[in-house]
Amino acid sequence: MIKFFIPKLIACIGDSLTMDGDNARHAITVLRLNVNDKIIVCDGDGTDYLCEIIKTGRESVNLTVLSSEPSKSEPHATVYLFASLLKGDKTDLVIQKSVEIGVSSIYLMVTENCVVKSITVDKLARLNKIAEAAAKQSGRGVIPTVHLAGNLNNVLFATTKNTKTANLHDFILLAGHEKNDSSLKKILGNYTQIQKAAIFIGPEGGFSPAEIALLEKNNATLFSLGKRVLRAETAAIAALAAIFYEVEG
């Protein structure tokens, strides 16, 4: 069923809601929804509301709430992705697919081998729009936020002080293909239940030796995704898919 997000929505069965802005325009002009059609409206905090359209206008859609329930699409584990900025639209792809797979938040880093050294405020806003669209498409119960986290020192400091990323279950680092590290499958098999995890993905040139040493010093576990050399964006998607397969399998 088609899902829309109305952040911080609080409603009860029988309440009337009004959906406007981009949501309403998409519902009316793109999806051509009409009276009596049913949709899901999510508050962005994990609650889904089944709603029926009772009236449509040029810029608004009036709804009535039929029922509510916790979103069934959110994973039990909280997984944070710490990814280096990539060239072109590769970061767009990482954002889109990681949200679809189930990531909780995404932190973009500027590491030593990054070709891209910064992004604008407008670019960050666009990446968050991509995350929102991916959350809608995949039926998520939350919209993961994309943060610009600075360099690795900033990131590691933030993970110990920021309440959203404190006390992580694992620090997981994608090691270079030239190293014979433990497979991700083997590492995940050592945990009977994964509650919180962080995964670090380097740029096209990988993490520098100093960055790897810093991550290891901060309890990172190095792993391999196999014998083939993966692009940075492929590695992020493959690693997240493996983690959620283990968590939800």
Side-chain angles (χ1 to χ4, degrees):
M1 188 173 291
I2 298 167
K3 175 175 282 191
F4 296 87
F5 283 92
I6 301 180
K8 308 305 178 184
L9 171 66
I10 300 176
C12 299
I13 295 174
D15 284 357
S16 296
L17 305 176
T18 299
M19 193 167 65
D20 53 20
D22 290 341
N23 278 340
R25 285 187 287 273
H26 185 68
I28 297 166
T29 62
V30 178
L31 300 175
R32 299 189 180 279
L33 297 177
N34 214 324
V35 173
N36 297 328
D37 286 337
K38 294 179 175 61
I39 63 173
I40 297 292
V41 175
C42 182
D43 63 0
D45 290 321
T47 300
D48 289 338
Y49 296 86
L50 175 63
C51 298
E52 182 176 356
I53 297 175
I54 56 175
K55 182 180 179 182
T56 62
R58 296 184 62 181
E59 296 288 333
S60 64
V61 176
N62 293 345
L63 311 164
T64 187
V65 178
L66 302 179
S67 63
S68 67
E69 65 177 1
S71 175
K72 297 178 180 178
S73 60
E74 285 305 302
H76 299 299
T78 299
V79 178
Y80 303 104
L81 173 63
F82 293 83
S84 299
L85 287 172
L86 304 176
K87 295 185 295 183
D89 60 359
K90 294 177 181 178
T91 296
D92 299 15
L93 179 66
V94 170
I95 300 298
Q96 181 187 64
K97 299 309 176 186
S98 62
V99 170
E100 290 178 18
I101 292 169
V103 77
S104 295
S105 293
I106 301 160
Y107 295 83
L108 300 176
M109 306 179 295
V110 180
T111 50
E112 289 186 27
N113 292 329
C114 280
V115 175
V116 178
K117 297 297 184 181
S118 65
I119 58 173
T120 65
V121 173
D122 288 343
K123 170 72 170 179
L124 183 62
R126 190 175 73 80
L127 291 174
N128 274 288
K129 284 290 187 182
I130 290 172
E132 180 178 357
K136 289 179 181 178
Q137 181 275 321
S138 58
R140 293 287 302 271
V142 302
I143 303 174
T145 302
V146 182
H147 308 270
L148 186 58
N151 62 32
L152 200 56
N153 281 308
N154 298 143
V155 166
L156 292 173
F157 176 78
T159 58
T160 58
K161 299 300 183 182
N162 188 316
T163 56
K164 292 184 179 180
T165 53
N167 301 316
L168 296 177
H169 186 76
D170 299 307
F171 282 91
I172 303 177
L173 167 69
L174 175 65
H177 67 278
E178 72 280 0
K179 299 191 69 173
N180 185 24
D181 300 308
S182 297
S183 70
L184 181 57
K185 179 179 179 180
K186 180 179 179 181
I187 292 170
L188 293 176
N190 292 330
Y191 298 97
T192 57
Q193 184 175 1
I194 299 172
Q195 296 180 338
K196 287 186 177 182
I199 180 165
F200 288 82
I201 301 293
E204 289 87 351
F207 287 116
S208 71
E211 288 170 333
I212 292 175
L214 180 60
L215 282 161
E216 288 185 301
K217 185 178 179 180
N218 283 271
N219 301 317
T221 300
L222 279 73
F223 69 88
S224 169
L225 282 169
K227 297 179 180 180
R228 289 159 296 282
V229 181
L230 303 182
R231 293 180 181 272
E233 64 274 24
T234 308
I237 295 166
L240 286 169
I243 289 172
F244 281 106
Y245 177 82
E246 185 70 23
V247 170
E248 301 180 315

